[in-house]
Amino acid sequence: MKQFDVVIAGGAMAGMTLALALDTLSRSQLRIAVVEPFTVDHQAHPGFDSRSIALSFGTVEILKSLGLWEQIAPVATAIKHIHVSDRSHAGMTNIDHSDISVAALGYVVELADVGRIYQTQLEQRPSISLLCPDSVHEIERTASHNVVTLQSGDQLECRLLVAADGAISSCCQALGFELKQHDFDQVALIANIRCQQAHQGRAFERFTEQGPVALLPMSDDRMSLVWCLRPEVAERVLQLDDAAFLAELQQAFGWRLGQMTQVGQRASYPLLLRYRAQNISHRFAIVGNAAQTLHPIAGQGFNLGIRDVASLAEEVVQSLADVGRYQVLNAFSRRRQADRDTTIAMTSALVHIFSNDYLSLRIGRNLGLAMMDNVPSLKTPLLQRTLGLVAR
Ligand SMILES: Cc1cc2nc3c(=O)[nH]c(=O)nc-3n(C[C@H](O)[C@H](O)[C@H](O)COP(=O)(O)OP(=O)(O)OC[C@H]3O[C@@H](n4cnc5c(N)ncnc54)[C@H](O)[C@@H]3O)c2cc1C
């Protein structure tokens, strides 16, 4: 049986960041295993697919503190300005990096790029074993350790098992964790888009009766589209040819970037809130999407997940002799509660307020957006969470 201090189920954004964080903060004193069914370049890798995500200012600060940003920065595109508007109505708000004296409000990265960079990093760290392709099959816990049986039949003994195995999380299922779910009745449609105008670091979020449309600036003057639609509308839009798709998108988004000229391959994701209130149990902790999977409306998913990762790594390295002690896990869980609850509540409220066309909500949100632009004290709490400047 192979011995480790920490076994991490899931080698995507949360799992790989955690392995690297633990290795850095412990100065390579921990033996770490990452178990992942898909190789980084596998087409079906659910964590490193064709998505682009926005990393908040706070996330970038965490990555810098872990020595990981230097490798990611060359493939990241800065967000200098965010424009939020409501389709066909006057309400809008703008946030510029100069308003708050930062170089960028956040950065956009392609997950596939980060996957390759993380893989190289992992290979350079002798204390980390990447067990791939393989997956966690069975978990047996005793007072002093866990025995994790993999699909291949290999067995790993560890002090702490961390589930970073995504929304469904077979580890959490195996251990009987309760999962709360809410179906938003929306599908996120993603694609890369080219427009007539250069993006100049501008990101856009536009609320429509169907759901929000976000366009994020990417390398090579492309825009990354996340278009949230009712499932039946998404199904129809996915079938359109490129010209018809662009025409419909143009109508929903408007002309702020001139004519939309090209669309790349499209993919879709059903949108559900998935939440496990309890994020620890005996010699077991949960991070990232396994703990909570959010609607992408405010781009908070990994930005929240990395705060799980950083807090867990900081607590674990306080107790190198036994990284799975109850005190370690309890401290982690308590640190994470307020941030998780608030971010989930804020994200879900935004979906409900902005995906409706009830007159009262429409008037309210337009007033809200207009006021936010003029009253800094209203803008501040949302802005701080958007920037990832959150206590953890
Ligand atoms: C359309 C869209 C746009 C988004 N935009 C943003 C954004 O702008 N900003 C942001 O911060 N977030 C965004 N997100 C969310 C973000 O992508 C996720 O929060 C993040 O990628 C989740 O990473 P994860 O590692 O926690 O989980 P996952 O990516 O789900 O990875 C889980 C991993 O576990 C592996 N696994 C599964 N079962 C097992 C097992 N039994 N044993 C071992 N391994 C297993 C899987 O193969 C997978 O690799 C967006 C999401 C969507 C859908």
Side-chain angles (χ1 to χ4, degrees), residues 318-388:
Q318 305 285 328
S319 177
L320 291 178
D322 182 358
V323 294
R325 282 169 66 214
Y326 173 72
Q327 288 83 342
V328 170
L329 301 181
N330 193 36
F332 157 70
S333 184
R334 280 193 289 129
R335 274 178 73 173
R336 296 305 304 134
Q337 190 167 347
D339 182 17
R340 296 176 70 211
D341 290 350
T342 311
T343 308
I344 290 167
M346 183 200 85
T347 307
S348 301
L350 280 177
V351 181
H352 288 117
I353 295 170
F354 281 104
S355 300
N356 270 299
D357 208 31
Y358 298 131
L359 184 65
S360 54
L361 279 180
R362 205 191 321 147
I363 294 169
R365 71 184 182 229
N366 275 282
L367 277 176
L369 283 177
M371 277 174 74
M372 251 202 242
D373 220 28
N374 296 314
V375 186
S377 62
L378 276 180
K379 213 169 176 175
T380 306
L382 188 64
L383 187 57
Q384 276 180 338
R385 208 152 281 276
T386 306
L387 291 175

Coordinates of all heavy atoms in Angstrom, one line a residue, residues 318-388:
Q318 N -0.2 23.9 9.3 CA 0.0 24.2 10.7 C 0.2 22.9 11.5 O 0.6 23.0 12.6 CB -1.2 24.9 11.3 CG -1.7 26.1 10.6 CD -0.9 27.3 11.0 OE1 -0.3 27.4 12.0 NE2 -0.7 28.2 10.0
S319 N -0.1 21.8 10.9 CA -0.1 20.5 11.6 C 0.5 19.4 10.8 O -0.2 18.4 10.5 CB -1.6 20.2 12.0 OG -1.7 19.0 12.6
L320 N 1.8 19.6 10.4 CA 2.4 18.6 9.5 C 2.5 17.2 10.0 O 2.4 16.2 9.3 CB 3.8 19.1 9.1 CG 3.8 20.4 8.3 CD1 5.3 20.8 8.0 CD2 3.1 20.2 7.0
A321 N 2.5 17.1 11.4 CA 2.6 15.7 12.0 C 1.4 14.9 11.7 O 1.4 13.7 11.5 CB 2.9 15.8 13.5
D322 N 0.2 15.6 11.7 CA -1.0 14.9 11.4 C -2.0 15.8 10.7 O -2.7 16.6 11.3 CB -1.7 14.3 12.6 CG -3.0 13.5 12.2 OD1 -3.3 13.5 11.0 OD2 -3.6 12.9 13.1
V323 N -1.9 15.8 9.4 CA -2.6 16.8 8.6 C -4.2 16.6 8.6 O -4.9 17.5 8.1 CB -2.1 16.8 7.1 CG1 -0.7 17.3 7.0 CG2 -2.3 15.5 6.5
G324 N -4.6 15.4 9.1 CA -6.0 15.2 9.0 C -6.7 15.3 10.4 O -7.9 14.9 10.6
R325 N -6.0 15.9 11.3 CA -6.6 16.1 12.7 C -7.9 16.9 12.6 O -8.1 17.8 11.8 CB -5.6 16.9 13.6 CG -4.4 16.2 14.1 CD -3.4 17.1 14.7 NE -4.0 17.8 15.9 CZ -3.7 19.0 16.3 NH1 -2.9 19.8 15.5 NH2 -4.2 19.6 17.4
Y326 N -8.8 16.6 13.6 CA -10.1 17.2 13.6 C -9.9 18.8 13.8 O -10.6 19.5 13.1 CB -10.9 16.7 14.8 CG -12.2 17.4 15.0 CD1 -13.2 17.3 14.1 CD2 -12.3 18.3 16.1 CE1 -14.4 18.1 14.2 CE2 -13.5 19.1 16.2 CZ -14.5 18.9 15.3 OH -15.6 19.7 15.5
Q327 N -9.0 19.2 14.6 CA -8.8 20.6 14.8 C -8.5 21.4 13.5 O -8.9 22.5 13.3 CB -7.6 20.9 15.8 CG -8.0 20.5 17.3 CD -7.8 19.0 17.6 OE1 -7.7 18.2 16.6 NE2 -7.7 18.7 18.8
V328 N -7.7 20.7 12.7 CA -7.3 21.3 11.4 C -8.6 21.5 10.5 O -8.8 22.6 10.0 CB -6.3 20.4 10.6 CG1 -6.1 20.9 9.2 CG2 -5.0 20.3 11.4
L329 N -9.3 20.4 10.5 CA -10.5 20.5 9.6 C -11.6 21.4 10.1 O -12.2 22.1 9.4 CB -11.0 19.0 9.4 CG -10.0 18.1 8.8 CD1 -10.6 16.7 8.6 CD2 -9.5 18.6 7.5
N330 N -11.7 21.4 11.4 CA -12.7 22.3 12.0 C -12.4 23.7 11.8 O -13.2 24.6 11.5 CB -12.8 22.0 13.5 CG -14.0 22.6 14.2 OD1 -15.0 22.6 13.5 ND2 -13.8 23.1 15.4
A331 N -11.1 24.1 11.9 CA -10.7 25.5 11.7 C -10.9 25.8 10.2 O -11.4 26.9 9.9 CB -9.2 25.6 12.0
F332 N -10.6 24.9 9.3 CA -10.9 25.2 7.9 C -12.4 25.4 7.7 O -12.8 26.4 7.0 CB -10.4 24.0 7.1 CG -11.1 23.8 5.7 CD1 -10.8 24.7 4.7 CD2 -12.0 22.8 5.5 CE1 -11.4 24.6 3.5 CE2 -12.6 22.7 4.2 CZ -12.3 23.6 3.2
S333 N -13.2 24.5 8.2 CA -14.6 24.6 8.0 C -15.2 25.9 8.5 O -16.0 26.6 7.8 CB -15.3 23.4 8.7 OG -16.7 23.4 8.4
R334 N -14.8 26.3 9.7 CA -15.3 27.6 10.3 C -14.8 28.8 9.5 O -15.6 29.7 9.3 CB -14.9 27.7 11.8 CG -15.8 26.8 12.6 CD -15.6 27.1 14.1 NE -14.3 26.7 14.6 CZ -13.5 27.4 15.3 NH1 -13.8 28.6 15.6 NH2 -12.3 26.9 15.7
R335 N -13.6 28.7 9.0 CA -13.1 29.9 8.2 C -13.9 30.0 6.9 O -14.0 31.1 6.4 CB -11.6 29.6 7.8 CG -10.7 30.1 8.8 CD -9.3 29.8 8.4 NE -8.8 30.6 7.3 CZ -7.5 30.6 6.9 NH1 -6.6 29.8 7.4 NH2 -7.1 31.4 5.9
R336 N -14.5 29.0 6.4 CA -15.1 29.0 5.1 C -16.6 29.4 5.1 O -17.2 29.7 4.1 CB -14.9 27.7 4.3 CG -13.5 27.4 4.0 CD -12.8 28.5 3.2 NE -13.5 28.8 2.0 CZ -13.8 30.0 1.6 NH1 -13.4 31.1 2.3 NH2 -14.4 30.2 0.5
Q337 N -17.2 29.2 6.3 CA -18.7 29.3 6.3 C -19.3 30.6 5.7 O -20.1 30.6 4.9 CB -19.2 28.9 7.7 CG -20.7 28.7 7.6 CD -21.2 28.1 8.9 OE1 -20.4 27.6 9.7 NE2 -22.5 28.1 9.0
A338 N -18.8 31.7 6.3 CA -19.5 33.0 6.0 C -19.3 33.3 4.5 O -20.2 33.7 3.8 CB -18.8 34.1 6.8
D339 N -18.1 33.1 4.0 CA -17.8 33.4 2.6 C -18.6 32.5 1.6 O -19.2 33.0 0.7 CB -16.3 33.2 2.3 CG -15.9 33.5 0.9 OD1 -16.6 34.2 0.2 OD2 -14.8 33.1 0.5
R340 N -18.7 31.2 1.9 CA -19.5 30.3 1.1 C -21.0 30.8 1.1 O -21.6 30.9 0.0 CB -19.4 28.9 1.6 CG -18.0 28.3 1.6 CD -18.0 26.9 2.2 NE -18.7 26.0 1.4 CZ -19.4 24.9 1.8 NH1 -19.5 24.7 3.1 NH2 -20.0 24.1 1.0
D341 N -21.5 31.0 2.3 CA -22.9 31.3 2.4 C -23.2 32.6 1.6 O -24.2 32.7 0.9 CB -23.3 31.5 3.9 CG -23.4 30.1 4.6 OD1 -23.2 29.1 3.9 OD2 -23.5 30.1 5.8
T342 N -22.4 33.6 1.8 CA -22.7 34.9 1.2 C -22.5 34.9 -0.3 O -23.3 35.4 -1.0 CB -21.7 36.0 1.8 OG1 -21.7 35.9 3.2 CG2 -22.1 37.4 1.4
T343 N -21.5 34.2 -0.8 CA -21.3 34.2 -2.2 C -22.4 33.4 -2.9 O -22.9 33.8 -4.0 CB -19.9 33.6 -2.6 OG1 -18.9 34.2 -1.8 CG2 -19.6 33.7 -4.0
I344 N -22.8 32.3 -2.3 CA -23.9 31.5 -2.8 C -25.2 32.3 -2.9 O -25.9 32.4 -3.9 CB -24.1 30.2 -2.0 CG1 -23.0 29.2 -2.3 CG2 -25.4 29.5 -2.4 CD1 -22.9 28.1 -1.3
A345 N -25.5 33.0 -1.8 CA -26.7 33.8 -1.7 C -26.7 35.0 -2.7 O -27.7 35.2 -3.4 CB -26.9 34.4 -0.3
M346 N -25.5 35.6 -2.8 CA -25.4 36.8 -3.7 C -25.6 36.3 -5.2 O -26.4 36.9 -5.9 CB -24.1 37.4 -3.6 CG -23.9 38.7 -4.4 SD -22.2 39.1 -4.7 CE -21.8 38.0 -6.1
T347 N -25.0 35.2 -5.5 CA -25.0 34.7 -6.9 C -26.4 34.3 -7.2 O -27.0 34.6 -8.3 CB -24.1 33.5 -7.1 OG1 -22.8 33.9 -6.6 CG2 -24.0 33.0 -8.5
S348 N -27.1 33.6 -6.3 CA -28.5 33.1 -6.6 C -29.4 34.3 -6.7 O -30.3 34.3 -7.6 CB -28.9 32.1 -5.6 OG -28.0 31.0 -5.5
A349 N -29.2 35.3 -5.8 CA -30.1 36.4 -5.9 C -30.0 37.2 -7.2 O -31.0 37.6 -7.8 CB -29.8 37.4 -4.7
L350 N -28.7 37.3 -7.7 CA -28.5 38.0 -9.0 C -29.3 37.2 -10.1 O -29.9 37.9 -10.9 CB -27.0 38.0 -9.3 CG -26.2 39.1 -8.6 CD1 -24.7 38.9 -9.0 CD2 -26.7 40.5 -9.0
V351 N -29.2 35.9 -10.1 CA -29.9 35.1 -11.1 C -31.4 35.4 -11.1 O -32.0 35.7 -12.2 CB -29.7 33.6 -11.0 CG1 -30.4 32.8 -12.1 CG2 -28.2 33.2 -10.9
H352 N -31.9 35.4 -9.9 CA -33.4 35.6 -9.9 C -33.8 37.0 -10.2 O -34.8 37.2 -10.9 CB -33.9 35.1 -8.5 CG -33.9 33.6 -8.4 ND1 -33.1 33.0 -7.5 CD2 -34.4 32.7 -9.2 CE1 -33.2 31.6 -7.7 NE2 -34.0 31.4 -8.7
I353 N -33.0 38.0 -9.7 CA -33.4 39.4 -10.0 C -33.3 39.7 -11.5 O -34.1 40.4 -12.1 CB -32.6 40.3 -9.1 CG1 -32.9 40.1 -7.7 CG2 -32.8 41.8 -9.5 CD1 -31.9 40.8 -6.7
F354 N -32.2 39.2 -12.1 CA -31.8 39.6 -13.4 C -32.3 38.7 -14.5 O -32.2 39.1 -15.7 CB -30.3 39.8 -13.5 CG -29.8 41.1 -12.9 CD1 -29.2 41.1 -11.7 CD2 -30.1 42.3 -13.6 CE1 -28.8 42.3 -11.2 CE2 -29.7 43.5 -13.0 CZ -29.0 43.5 -11.8
S355 N -32.9 37.6 -14.2 CA -33.4 36.7 -15.3 C -34.9 36.8 -15.4 O -35.5 36.0 -16.0 CB -33.0 35.3 -15.0 OG -31.6 35.2 -14.9
N356 N -35.5 37.9 -14.9 CA -37.0 38.0 -14.9 C -37.4 39.2 -15.6 O -36.7 40.2 -15.6 CB -37.5 38.1 -13.5 CG -37.8 36.7 -13.0 OD1 -38.7 36.0 -13.6 ND2 -37.1 36.3 -12.0
D357 N -38.6 39.2 -16.2 CA -39.1 40.4 -16.8 C -40.3 41.0 -16.1 O -41.1 41.7 -16.7 CB -39.3 40.2 -18.3 CG -39.2 41.5 -19.1 OD1 -38.3 42.3 -18.6 OD2 -39.9 41.7 -20.1
Y358 N -40.5 40.6 -14.8 CA -41.6 41.2 -14.1 C -41.3 42.7 -14.0 O -40.2 43.1 -13.7 CB -41.7 40.6 -12.7 CG -42.0 39.1 -12.6 CD1 -41.2 38.3 -11.9 CD2 -43.0 38.6 -13.4 CE1 -41.5 36.9 -11.8 CE2 -43.3 37.2 -13.3 CZ -42.5 36.4 -12.6 OH -42.7 35.1 -12.5
L359 N -42.4 43.5 -14.2 CA -42.2 44.9 -14.2 C -41.5 45.5 -12.9 O -40.6 46.2 -13.0 CB -43.6 45.6 -14.4 CG -43.5 47.1 -14.6 CD1 -42.8 47.5 -15.8 CD2 -44.9 47.7 -14.6
S360 N -42.0 45.0 -11.8 CA -41.4 45.5 -10.5 C -39.9 45.2 -10.5 O -39.1 46.0 -10.1 CB -42.1 44.9 -9.3 OG -42.1 43.5 -9.4
L361 N -39.5 44.0 -10.9 CA -38.1 43.6 -10.8 C -37.3 44.4 -11.8 O -36.2 44.9 -11.6 CB -37.9 42.1 -11.1 CG -38.2 41.2 -10.0 CD1 -37.9 39.7 -10.4 CD2 -37.2 41.5 -8.8
R362 N -37.9 44.7 -13.0 CA -37.2 45.4 -14.0 C -36.9 46.8 -13.6 O -35.8 47.3 -13.7 CB -38.1 45.4 -15.3 CG -37.3 45.6 -16.5 CD -38.1 45.8 -17.8 NE -39.3 45.1 -17.9 CZ -40.4 45.6 -18.5 NH1 -40.4 46.8 -19.0 NH2 -41.5 44.9 -18.6
I363 N -38.0 47.5 -13.0 CA -37.8 48.8 -12.5 C -36.8 48.8 -11.4 O -35.8 49.6 -11.4 CB -39.2 49.4 -12.0 CG1 -40.1 49.6 -13.2 CG2 -38.9 50.8 -11.3 CD1 -41.5 49.9 -12.8
G364 N -36.9 47.9 -10.5 CA -36.0 47.8 -9.3 C -34.5 47.7 -9.8 O -33.6 48.3 -9.3
R365 N -34.3 46.7 -10.7 CA -32.9 46.5 -11.1 C -32.3 47.6 -11.9 O -31.1 47.9 -11.8 CB -32.8 45.1 -11.8 CG -33.3 45.1 -13.2 CD -33.2 43.7 -13.7 NE -33.7 43.6 -15.0 CZ -34.5 42.7 -15.5 NH1 -35.0 41.7 -14.7 NH2 -34.9 42.7 -16.7
N366 N -33.2 48.3 -12.7 CA -32.7 49.4 -13.4 C -32.3 50.6 -12.5 O -31.3 51.2 -12.7 CB -33.7 49.9 -14.5 CG -33.5 49.0 -15.7 OD1 -32.5 49.3 -16.5 ND2 -34.3 48.0 -15.9
L367 N -33.2 50.8 -11.5 CA -32.9 51.8 -10.5 C -31.6 51.4 -9.8 O -30.7 52.2 -9.6 CB -34.0 51.9 -9.5 CG -35.2 52.8 -9.9 CD1 -36.2 52.7 -8.8 CD2 -34.7 54.3 -10.0
G368 N -31.5 50.1 -9.5 CA -30.3 49.6 -8.7 C -29.1 49.8 -9.5 O -28.1 50.4 -9.0
L369 N -29.1 49.5 -10.8 CA -27.9 49.6 -11.6 C -27.5 51.1 -11.7 O -26.3 51.5 -11.6 CB -28.1 49.1 -13.0 CG -28.0 47.5 -13.1 CD1 -28.3 47.1 -14.6 CD2 -26.6 47.0 -12.7
A370 N -28.5 52.0 -12.0 CA -28.2 53.4 -12.1 C -27.7 54.0 -10.8 O -26.7 54.8 -10.8 CB -29.5 54.1 -12.5
M371 N -28.3 53.6 -9.7 CA -27.9 54.1 -8.4 C -26.5 53.6 -8.1 O -25.6 54.4 -7.6 CB -28.8 53.6 -7.3 CG -30.0 54.5 -7.2 SD -31.2 53.9 -6.0 CE -30.3 54.2 -4.5
M372 N -26.2 52.3 -8.4 CA -24.9 51.8 -8.2 C -23.8 52.6 -8.8 O -22.7 52.8 -8.3 CB -24.8 50.4 -8.7 CG -24.8 49.4 -7.6 SD -24.1 47.9 -8.2 CE -25.4 46.8 -8.0
D373 N -24.1 53.1 -10.0 CA -23.2 53.9 -10.7 C -22.8 55.2 -10.0 O -21.8 55.8 -10.2 CB -23.7 54.2 -12.2 CG -22.6 54.0 -13.2 OD1 -21.6 53.3 -12.9 OD2 -22.6 54.7 -14.2
N374 N -23.8 55.7 -9.3 CA -23.7 57.0 -8.6 C -23.4 57.0 -7.1 O -23.0 58.0 -6.6 CB -24.9 57.9 -8.9 CG -25.1 58.1 -10.4 OD1 -24.1 58.5 -11.0 ND2 -26.3 57.9 -10.9
V375 N -23.7 55.9 -6.5 CA -23.6 55.8 -5.0 C -22.5 54.8 -4.7 O -22.8 53.6 -4.7 CB -24.9 55.5 -4.4 CG1 -24.8 55.6 -2.8 CG2 -26.0 56.4 -4.9
P376 N -21.3 55.2 -4.4 CA -20.2 54.2 -4.2 C -20.5 53.3 -3.1 O -20.1 52.1 -3.2 CB -19.0 55.1 -3.9 CG -19.4 56.5 -4.4 CD -20.9 56.6 -4.4
S377 N -21.3 53.7 -2.1 CA -21.5 52.8 -0.9 C -22.4 51.6 -1.3 O -22.3 50.5 -0.7 CB -22.1 53.5 0.2 OG -23.4 54.0 -0.2
L378 N -23.1 51.7 -2.4 CA -23.9 50.6 -2.9 C -23.1 49.7 -3.7 O -23.3 48.5 -3.8 CB -25.1 51.1 -3.8 CG -26.4 51.6 -3.1 CD1 -27.4 52.0 -4.1 CD2 -27.0 50.4 -2.3
K379 N -22.2 50.3 -4.4 CA -21.3 49.5 -5.4 C -20.3 48.7 -4.6 O -19.9 47.6 -5.1 CB -20.6 50.5 -6.3 CG -20.4 50.0 -7.7 CD -19.9 51.3 -8.5 CE -19.5 51.0 -9.9 NZ -19.2 52.2 -10.6
T380 N -19.9 49.2 -3.5 CA -18.7 48.6 -2.8 C -18.9 47.1 -2.4 O -18.0 46.3 -2.8 CB -18.4 49.4 -1.6 OG1 -18.2 50.8 -2.0 CG2 -17.1 49.0 -0.9
P381 N -20.0 46.6 -1.7 CA -20.0 45.2 -1.3 C -20.0 44.3 -2.5 O -19.2 43.3 -2.5 CB -21.3 45.1 -0.6 CG -21.8 46.5 -0.3 CD -21.2 47.4 -1.3
L382 N -20.7 44.6 -3.6 CA -20.8 43.7 -4.8 C -19.4 43.8 -5.4 O -18.9 42.7 -5.9 CB -21.9 44.2 -5.7 CG -22.2 43.4 -6.9 CD1 -22.7 42.0 -6.5 CD2 -23.2 44.0 -7.8
L383 N -18.8 44.9 -5.5 CA -17.5 45.1 -6.2 C -16.5 44.3 -5.4 O -15.7 43.6 -6.0 CB -17.2 46.6 -6.2 CG -15.9 47.0 -6.9 CD1 -16.1 46.6 -8.4 CD2 -15.7 48.5 -6.9
Q384 N -16.5 44.4 -4.1 CA -15.5 43.6 -3.3 C -15.5 42.1 -3.6 O -14.5 41.5 -3.8 CB -15.6 43.9 -1.9 CG -14.9 45.2 -1.5 CD -15.0 45.6 0.0 OE1 -15.9 45.1 0.6 NE2 -14.1 46.4 0.4
R385 N -16.8 41.6 -3.7 CA -16.9 40.2 -3.9 C -16.5 39.9 -5.4 O -15.9 38.9 -5.7 CB -18.3 39.7 -3.6 CG -18.4 38.3 -3.2 CD -19.6 38.0 -2.3 NE -19.3 38.4 -0.9 CZ -18.7 37.7 0.0 NH1 -18.3 36.5 -0.3 NH2 -18.5 38.1 1.2
T386 N -16.9 40.8 -6.3 CA -16.5 40.6 -7.7 C -15.0 40.6 -7.8 O -14.4 39.8 -8.6 CB -17.1 41.7 -8.6 OG1 -18.5 41.7 -8.3 CG2 -16.9 41.5 -10.0
L387 N -14.3 41.4 -7.1 CA -12.9 41.5 -7.1 C -12.2 40.4 -6.3 O -11.0 40.2 -6.4 CB -12.4 42.8 -6.6 CG -12.7 44.1 -7.5 CD1 -12.3 45.3 -6.8 CD2 -12.0 44.0 -8.8
G388 N -13.0 39.6 -5.6 CA -12.5 38.6 -4.8 C -11.8 39.1 -3.5 O -10.9 38.4 -3.0

